[in-house]
Amino acid sequence: MSSSTPSRFDRGHTDDLMSFLMAAPSPYHAVAAAAQRLEKAGFRQVLETDAWDGTTGGRYVLRGGAIIAWYVPQGASAHTPFRIAGAHTDSPNLRVKPLPDTGSYGWRQIAVEVYGGTLLNTWLDRDLGLAGRLTLRDGSHRLVNIDRPLLRVPQLAVHLDRSVNTDGLKLDRQRHMQPIWGLGDAEEGDLIRFLEQECGLDEGEVTGWDLMPHSIEPPAYLGRDRELLAGPRMDNLVSVHAATAALTAVAASAELPYIPVLAAFDHEENGSQSDTGADGPLLGSVLERSVFARGGSLEDRARALAGTICLSSDTGHAVHPNYGERHDPTHHPRANGGPILKVNVNQRYATDGSGRAVFAAACERAGVPWQTFVSNNAMPCGTTIGPITAARHGIRTVDIGVAILSMHSARELCGADDPYLLANALTAFLAG
């Protein structure tokens, strides 16, 4: 294929994904960006503190860095099963500590904590912005995104670490990962005062914060034929974006045999145990209230969940050209080969044979190629929200995703067509 040959797929979805990645430097921004797309499709936000009705239409709930959205089709009964596209909004990164202002030797620094299993070296020598959520004195929240060069974690020069290229880079999570952001002595309250000014707030108005640095380098097509996509937070905003697109697409359908649901959780990268994580009560509460709002009983709830299926969509490992021995010798997912079915018999993934059939049928209806991922037996396997969703709610769950390289890096890589293929597969699944 020459450099002037276009992709065999429409790149509009991937272009939109690139915009989504830039708009979502934190889980709070990710759910806000998803909600904006849902609103354009006619969905409306409902508050957990309000009474809900069961009328036809699309609704969504926001809680912190999580969003649950669903569409009640015409004629849905109280026991109509759900079809759920699950994902997570968080990515491994650095998070600002409660007392952020620090420094030494005339450098002003920001104290950070390592979140999740990030590749520490990928945060070195990058121009970093700062984003997240501010909590104001009245209890309200304000999103903040300083999307310009503000922070940098400088690596030690090779002259001062002569063995770095022979013995490898060794980073101490406490001593070596604190970014610089200026010169002079540290002043208590300096960072928050700076953010208050940036947001046009009065001094002292911010009383809480959930902040994280992010790479300001935008996503980009890569390669001779632009068949690859490089960008931040693909794990797992590729899935959040695809699931949002799929839900808005099926909501325009005339008839649906199921109630389609988007469930995007926070805190997957550190175990999902929070009120906004997959191991929390949020999804179960929303599904139950949806049944009750349509006049259902506990019996209807049980019937609905018994027929419910979840596709847990998260990234997986593409075969690495420089480390082929780290992969299973018979399972080599490739970029632009379509979404992957993720299998682990020890239940690190929730897929079984019947789940494979569900996924295969959805891909067949969508005309989408698909692949299978299983770990090398000598390599421990990661996990997802899939087994948690299955165990907590008794919902049949299948783990899928997009194959990427450099997982948990500050900047990851996937095939430029795979996000589009994933969205099509999810659309076919949600439509039933």
Side-chain angles (χ1 to χ4, degrees):
M1 185 168 68
S2 71
S3 58
S4 60
T5 302
S7 165
R8 60 196 175 105
F9 300 112
D10 177 16
R11 283 284 170 83
H13 177 89
T14 305
D15 290 341
D16 188 64
L17 168 62
M18 294 166 75
S19 297
F20 187 84
L21 292 173
M22 287 298 290
S26 78
Y28 313 107
H29 289 83
V31 299
Q36 184 179 48
R37 284 163 164 76
L38 292 167
E39 289 277 353
K40 289 181 179 179
F43 285 68
R44 61 181 176 87
Q45 183 179 1
V46 292
L47 301 180
E48 293 183 79
T49 53
D50 289 347
W52 294 1
D53 65 66
T55 55
T56 300
R59 298 165 180 80
Y60 67 91
V61 167
L62 293 179
R63 184 194 288 185
I67 182 169
I68 310 291
W70 66 103
Y71 183 83
V72 180
Q74 190 73 37
S77 68
H79 58 266
T80 296
F82 302 92
R83 282 279 176 112
I84 304 170
H88 67 87
T89 61
D90 60 320
S91 301
N93 60 7
L94 307 175
R95 302 287 176 103
V96 175
K97 288 184 175 180
L99 299 176
D101 300 294
T102 186
S104 58
Y105 304 108
W107 294 97
R108 294 161 65 193
Q109 296 174 275
I110 301 300
V112 297
E113 189 173 3
V114 178
Y115 176 83
T118 188
L119 287 168
L120 295 178
N121 64 293
T122 67
W123 289 88
L124 302 179
D125 297 332
R126 287 186 184 273
D127 296 335
L128 304 174
L130 189 66
R133 180 180 69 172
L134 303 174
T135 302
L136 308 187
R137 189 170 296 279
D138 62 3
S140 63
H141 298 113
R142 178 76 64 88
L143 295 183
V144 60
N145 181 12
I146 310 301
D147 199 30
R148 65 176 186 269
L150 182 69
L151 310 170
R152 186 179 179 91
V153 184
Q155 186 171 346
L156 187 64
V158 68
H159 312 80
L160 304 177
D161 187 6
R162 294 288 185 178
S163 64
V164 66
N165 290 324
T166 55
D167 297 342
L169 178 64
K170 297 178 177 62
L171 295 172
D172 183 283
R173 294 159 68 95
Q174 176 63 39
R175 292 185 295 123
H176 300 150
M177 297 307 297
Q178 311 307 313
I180 61 173
W181 77 308
L183 299 173
D185 297 328
E187 297 181 21
E188 184 178 353
D190 199 20
L191 176 65
I192 300 307
R193 283 192 296 270
F194 165 76
L195 294 176
E196 287 172 335
Q197 292 171 1
E198 288 287 316
C199 295
L201 299 170
D202 294 333
E203 186 173 334
E205 198 169 347
V206 173
T207 56
W209 50 88
D210 302 279
L211 300 167
M212 56 207 74
H214 65 276
S215 173
I216 63 168
E217 185 180 2
Y221 290 108
L222 184 145
R224 185 193 68 176
D225 300 319
R226 292 163 52 88
E227 70 267 54
L228 301 172
L229 177 68
R233 300 177 295 279
M234 289 186 176
D235 179 10
N236 184 33
L237 294 188
V238 166
S239 296
V240 176
H241 177 262
T244 303
L247 180 59
T248 57
V250 300
S253 303
E255 295 182 6
L256 291 171
Y258 304 99
I259 296 174
V261 179
L262 158 68
F265 302 100
D266 200 354
H267 300 130
E268 188 272 348
E269 297 294 354
N270 61 6
S272 295
Q273 292 186 323
S274 70
D275 69 320
T276 53
D279 204 17
L282 182 58
L283 177 61
S285 173
V286 169
L287 298 184
E288 183 174 73
R289 291 185 66 178
S290 175
V291 169
F292 292 167
R294 284 175 277 121
S297 62
L298 286 175
E299 179 71 11
D300 291 313
R301 173 191 176 278
R303 293 175 65 187
L305 293 188
T308 293
I309 306 174
C310 174
L311 286 191
S312 163
S313 182
D314 202 345
T315 55
H317 301 293
V319 62
H320 198 299
N322 299 335
Y323 300 90
E325 74 282 358
R326 302 296 180 99
H327 299 270
D328 183 84
T330 58
H331 295 79
H332 289 163
R334 299 175 183 271
N336 287 336
I340 55 174
L341 179 73
K342 301 163 72 172
V343 180
N344 180 265
V345 296
N346 293 303
Q347 290 300 293
R348 300 293 284 174
Y349 304 131
T351 306
D352 62 9
S354 64
R356 173 191 172 99
V358 169
F359 178 63
C363 289
E364 183 177 355
R365 289 194 300 274
V368 167
W370 60 280
Q371 313 174 79
T372 304
F373 170 82
V374 65
S375 288
N376 185 309
N377 289 341
M379 298 285 171
C381 179
T383 190
T384 70
I385 66 166
I388 295 171
T389 302
R392 182 171 181 84
H393 306 292
I395 292 172
R396 182 156 53 125
T397 303
V398 188
D399 274 296
I400 68 164
V402 161
I404 69 171
L405 292 181
S406 306
M407 186 184 294
H408 288 194
S409 169
R411 193 169 179 84
E412 297 159 324
L413 182 74
C414 74
D417 293 327
D418 281 333
Y420 172 77
L421 296 173
L422 174 65
N424 282 1
L426 289 176
T427 301
F429 165 73
L430 291 180

